[in-house]
Amino acid sequence: MRSRPSSAVLTRRLLALVGLAVIGVAACGTSSPSSPDASAPDAAAEARDAAVELADAAAADAAADAADDAAADADAAAPTFPGTSEGCSADMLLIDGDYCPSVRQDCLEEHKEFQHDEAKKKAKRDSGEDVAASTVSERCLKYKAPSECLVKRRKSRFCMDRYEWPNQKGELPALLMSWIDARKMCEDKGKRLCTEEEFNFACEGEAMLPYTYGYERDATKCNIDKPYRKREHKLFKYASCMKKPQCKAELEKLDQRLPTGSMPACVSPFGVYDLNGNINEWVFRPKEKPPNRSGLKGGWWGPVRGRCRPTVGFHHEEDYGYEEGFRCCKDAAAK
């Protein structure tokens, strides 16, 4: 099929034909009536045809330009995310690299609340008093950089949900679910609970960062360090709690979750959101036996450690809490 001439080419042709028509008209004024000159009408007709083609070409150009602009606007509006889903389903991210099983991370500055609590406990011990369990969590404000790997690294490759369950940006993460519940929900999706080490690597990356975003604690980047609110009434698992007015009201009082992915700086080196803070996440500890295969990692919105490496291991598999949720992992496709 012959391509349509461009509007610029047609414009030049039209101008040439108009010129011929003008010359022809001028010639008609001097020619003999017995020798009529047909060139002027022919040139005028060609000029009209060229004008029609020019209008069509201009309309086609305008439509093409509009389509290009619309495509560019759509590309600009399309969400862009860090990381890659290569070898994983579209709702998961590939975690691939060299993992360090044992890391040294030196804290340079502890939170003042923790320092004060430690000083109080020391004073009691020095005076011979019993020291009760403290509710003040260790929180390091600044770590020495870089972290140090103490053993040989090993390859790690797997897929992890981009967001906390239900793995939808803008949704509140699930809570009041046990480790057993979380494991089943992942399996129902053809996935599994993440292991303790998988969480470590997805959170810290090959640089072994204490926090997903670096070496210094920052409550503006992840949902951490919110004031503690004391629970006063019993809570039930989520579905049951929503049916009980007192439980529902108690949860609303305690709840300080944020929608998943709503803090854009709370993202790991692999592109995974909210691995620090927002909600504690159930993980699988393969070296443990039932009912202790469950662990909690990442911290929640309260004034707790809220970093990559620590694991809370005293919650049993059937336990549940208002600060406990999860996300899923899966083996990555072979390269």
Side-chain angles (χ1 to χ4, degrees):
M1 187 175 74
R2 189 177 66 177
S3 62
R4 179 188 293 275
S6 70
S7 58
V9 170
L10 288 170
T11 300
R12 289 195 296 271
R13 185 185 302 172
L14 177 61
L15 291 174
L17 290 169
V18 169
L20 288 173
V22 170
I23 293 171
V25 170
C28 284
T30 59
S31 63
S32 167
S34 61
S35 305
D37 189 350
S39 63
D42 291 344
E46 287 191 45
R48 285 193 298 270
D49 291 344
V52 171
E53 286 193 61
L54 176 60
D56 290 345
D61 288 347
D65 289 344
D68 290 343
D69 290 344
D73 291 343
D75 289 342
T80 57
F81 300 107
T84 177
S85 294
E86 181 181 355
C88 307
S89 57
D91 62 339
M92 305 186 84
L93 286 167
L94 177 65
I95 316 298
D96 188 9
D98 296 321
Y99 170 66
C100 180
S102 181
V103 170
R104 177 174 177 175
Q105 295 173 332
D106 295 330
C107 182
L108 301 178
E109 182 184 358
E110 294 280 6
H111 195 283
K112 289 182 179 179
E113 182 184 38
F114 180 72
Q115 292 179 7
H116 180 66
D117 188 64
E118 289 294 293
K120 283 172 57 179
K121 290 191 288 188
K122 183 178 183 303
K124 286 186 176 182
R125 283 193 296 266
D126 291 345
S127 64
E129 297 181 50
D130 292 334
V131 179
S134 175
T135 59
V136 177
S137 175
E138 176 266 323
R139 285 182 285 167
C140 184
L141 300 180
K142 184 176 182 179
Y143 280 91
K144 178 183 177 182
S147 301
E148 180 184 358
C149 184
L150 301 178
V151 296
K152 184 179 180 180
R153 292 175 180 263
R154 62 170 180 258
K155 293 290 183 181
S156 182
R157 189 172 188 270
F158 59 95
C159 304
M160 176 180 272
D161 284 349
R162 188 186 298 273
Y163 305 108
E164 296 153 320
W165 185 275
N167 195 24
Q168 295 290 329
K169 184 178 182 180
E171 295 288 330
L172 287 173
L175 42 61
L176 291 176
M177 292 185 177
S178 70
W179 181 90
I180 294 173
D181 296 332
R183 183 181 65 169
K184 183 179 185 306
M185 294 177 78
C186 285
E187 290 174 351
D188 288 345
K189 290 284 187 179
K191 303 177 182 179
R192 56 175 171 77
L193 274 182
C194 305
T195 68
E196 184 176 11
E197 290 193 340
E198 285 174 337
F199 188 102
N200 288 343
F201 192 37
C203 185
E204 68 189 19
E206 290 185 328
M208 305 165 290
L209 299 173
Y211 301 103
T212 58
Y213 47 82
Y215 294 91
E216 295 189 32
R217 190 179 185 92
D218 189 342
T220 68
K221 292 186 175 178
C222 291
N223 185 21
I224 58 173
D225 293 341
K226 297 287 181 66
Y228 176 73
R229 297 174 182 175
K230 185 177 180 181
R231 181 173 64 83
E232 297 176 334
H233 299 287
K234 178 179 174 61
L235 294 174
F236 298 88
K237 287 188 176 181
Y238 186 78
S240 297
C241 186
M242 292 299 98
K243 299 175 183 178
K244 302 177 186 293
Q246 185 182 68
C247 181
K248 186 175 180 180
E250 181 71 5
L251 178 60
E252 289 174 351
K253 181 195 77 175
L254 298 169
D255 191 6
Q256 298 184 70
R257 292 170 296 167
L258 291 177
T260 58
S262 61
M263 301 191 76
C266 194
V267 61
S268 83
F270 292 104
V272 185
Y273 284 88
D274 303 312
L275 286 170
N276 290 153
N278 210 31
I279 200 82
N280 253 327
E281 299 186 26
W282 287 116
V283 296
F284 172 55
R285 298 193 294 165
K287 295 180 180 179
E288 300 294 331
K289 295 181 180 180
N292 299 311
R293 295 171 296 175
S294 50
L296 285 165
K297 292 188 68 66
W300 47 293
W301 63 76
V304 296
R305 291 176 294 186
R307 59 180 191 269
C308 295
R309 279 275 164 167
T311 302
V312 177
F314 57 80
H315 290 282
H316 290 171
E317 296 171 18
E318 68 275 11
D319 291 346
Y320 62 93
Y322 67 86
E323 74 280 36
E324 296 165 8
F326 67 102
R327 77 178 75 214
C328 306
C329 284
K330 188 175 183 178
D331 293 349
K335 292 184 179 180

